[in-house]
């Protein structure tokens, strides 16, 4: 699903993104509710980036990656945490692209996410390549999502991937 976000595109930077786990739902500009084999997942586009809410019989998980002042951890390269019965893994990277490469990559990603039944993308007014996109799936008992945050004024694309799944017991020796 592709939508135009009804908010002014602010000149934020990739370096301003922060990560938080466990935040309450924030006001969203666009939402996609998914049922992935018993896991209820809500993909949320914020004016400042994204939030994912996961609810399953084993518990809940809330991930926020956004430009929100105060109280958040700067965007880490990787996080691995135990959340009750779940293992949570998060990874992020920043790609810096030339103007031509950036435009092509933006079009490719928007087409991929727009045509996917578990995808949500929002473009910001004022720049055709300023967007946030999210794509979710469930495989082998794990819920996974990827996100892309585009900053065309910097030629930067922030890519994240998250996996949440049941903790596997340690193998007996």
């Amino acid at each position: 699903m592709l939508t135009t976000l009804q908010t002014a595109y602010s000149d934020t930077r990739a370096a301003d993104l922060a990560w938080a786990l466990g935040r309450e739902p924030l006001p969203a500009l666009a939402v996609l509710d998914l049922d992935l084999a018993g896991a209820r997942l809500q993909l949320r586009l914020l004016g400042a980036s994204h939030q994912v809410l996961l609810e399953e019989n084993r518990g809940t998980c809330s991930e926020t990656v956004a430009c929100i002042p105060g109280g958040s951890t700067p965007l880490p390269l990787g996080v691995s945490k135990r959340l009750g019965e779940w293992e949570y893994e998060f990874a992020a990277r920043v790609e810096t692209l030339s103007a031509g490469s950036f435009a092509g990559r933006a079009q490719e990603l928007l087409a991929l996410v727009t045509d996917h039944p578990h995808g949500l993308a929002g473009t910001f007014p004022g720049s055709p390549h300023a967007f946030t996109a999210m794509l979710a799936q469930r495989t082998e008992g794990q819920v996974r999502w990827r996100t892309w945050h585009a900053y065309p004024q910097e030629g930067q694309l922030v890519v994240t991937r998250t996996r949440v799944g049941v903790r596997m017991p340690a193998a007996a020796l």
Side-chain angles (χ1 to χ4, degrees):
M1 178 171 91
L2 177 65
T3 187
T4 299
L5 301 173
Q6 299 303 315
T7 187
Y9 178 65
S10 60
D11 218 15
T12 58
R13 303 174 311 123
D16 293 337
L17 281 177
W19 169 86
L21 198 56
R23 280 190 95 124
E24 292 296 317
L26 297 170
L29 299 173
V31 173
L32 179 62
D33 289 306
L34 300 170
D35 184 351
L36 301 175
R40 292 192 345 230
L41 192 68
Q42 188 175 76
L43 304 178
R44 305 167 57 84
L45 296 178
L46 313 175
S49 279
H50 89 257
Q51 187 172 49
V52 177
L53 307 176
L54 170 62
E55 185 178 326
E56 197 181 42
N57 60 356
R58 291 182 176 93
T60 61
C61 176
S62 166
E63 172 189 280
T64 306
V65 172
C67 300
I68 300 173
S72 296
T73 302
L75 193 63
L77 293 177
V79 173
S80 183
K81 286 188 172 272
R82 289 186 176 184
L83 300 174
E85 294 181 38
W86 285 338
E87 288 182 6
Y88 168 91
E89 291 181 1
F90 171 86
R93 74 176 191 274
V94 177
E95 297 176 8
T96 301
L97 305 164
S98 68
S101 294
F102 189 92
R105 183 89 166 115
Q107 289 173 341
E108 174 186 277
L109 288 169
L110 286 172
L112 169 74
V113 174
T114 298
D115 293 338
H116 197 285
H118 301 147
L120 175 63
T123 57
F124 292 90
S127 175
H129 302 123
F131 68 90
T132 299
M134 309 170 75
L135 190 60
Q137 67 178 357
R138 183 174 183 127
T139 57
E140 301 173 4
Q142 299 179 345
V143 178
R144 300 170 185 255
W145 58 88
R146 296 192 65 187
T147 71
W148 299 268
H149 306 263
Y151 298 93
Q153 73 280 9
E154 295 184 315
Q156 290 189 323
L157 185 67
V158 177
V159 180
T160 74
R161 67 171 173 76
T162 302
R163 181 192 66 81
V164 179
V166 176
R167 271 196 292 159
M168 301 309 255
L173 297 177

